[in-house]
Amino acid sequence: TTHTVVSTSNFCDGSTTQLSMAGFGGGGGGGGASKKNKKTVKPLPKLKAKTQWDRYADLKQCKKIVVGVKLSGNEEEAEWLEVGKVRSENDEHTLVAIARQRALIADHAKRLYPVKVPANSVLEWGYFMEEGDGESGSWETVDKAIGTDAPKGIEKKFGFEGISDKASGYYCYYSEGRVVERGETLTAALTTGSKTLPN
């Protein structure tokens, strides 16, 4: 299985490494410059699961891209876990869709795989790149910095829909941040004790 880190020239995850190397063997001066030149990253707006699911549903003409996570740190043993799908307007924002919705994807992964993905897990995000026959392919890792400088409101151009049990193929639907049946409110779900509907 091939693992590729997807990034762009607009983002420099390697900047940390470069700054560290500048101070290596160079005394205290390099370290001071690193701190002084370090940019303050503004937090991105928090996305709501229900809102992004609605956006996913609205983009029904766009391609579904399978997304997943894996535990970071052990490349040989870590397995990719399918979490759901994303869609983006004109199929143009897949990488940004994953990077900007990574909190939703991570939360859903912890819900789906509580043993494999503990609450304090450090994760990597990615998507499944299909090959010609659609039956095979490889997972591509997405740099989470992608989308940091994307235009304001870009989140309106993509959506995420999570799955529940991989074996059952059920989807999860949300109301007020909780999983409910499609088209049902959280109050109704708590009253009836209903479960998710199959795809």
Side-chain angles (χ1 to χ4, degrees), residues 140-158:
E140 309 288 338
T141 302
V142 174
D143 184 345
K144 64 182 182 181
I146 291 176
T148 301
D149 295 331
K152 185 178 180 180
I154 188 70
E155 67 275 0
K156 297 177 182 178
K157 296 186 177 183
F158 50 71

Side-chain angles (χ1 to χ4, degrees), residues 58-64 86-91:
D58 290 340
L59 294 166
K60 60 186 68 175
Q61 302 302 321
C62 301
K63 186 177 180 180
K64 300 176 183 178
V86 298
R87 285 175 176 154
S88 66
E89 189 175 276
N90 300 321
D91 303 324

Side-chain angles (χ1 to χ4, degrees), residues 18-38:
Q18 292 166 4
L19 291 173
S20 299
M21 290 177 67
F24 184 74
S34 300
K35 291 180 181 179
K36 188 177 290 185
N37 296 331
K38 189 174 181 181

Side-chain angles (χ1 to χ4, degrees), residues 26-94:
S34 300
K35 291 180 181 179
K36 188 177 290 185
N37 296 331
K38 189 174 181 181
K39 275 189 174 182
T40 301
V41 180
K42 294 181 180 180
L44 296 172
K46 186 175 181 180
L47 302 181
K48 296 181 179 179
K50 176 62 166 60
T51 300
Q52 294 310 112
W53 178 82
D54 286 341
R55 289 168 177 162
Y56 176 94
D58 290 340
L59 294 166
K60 60 186 68 175
Q61 302 302 321
C62 301
K63 186 177 180 180
K64 300 176 183 178
I65 304 295
V66 174
V67 297
V69 300
K70 71 173 181 177
L71 297 181
S72 181
N74 193 334
E75 293 299 319
E76 293 184 0
E77 295 184 10
E79 64 172 316
W80 281 102
L81 303 171
E82 183 179 341
V83 179
K85 297 180 179 69
V86 298
R87 285 175 176 154
S88 66
E89 189 175 276
N90 300 321
D91 303 324
E92 294 177 348
H93 310 286
T94 296

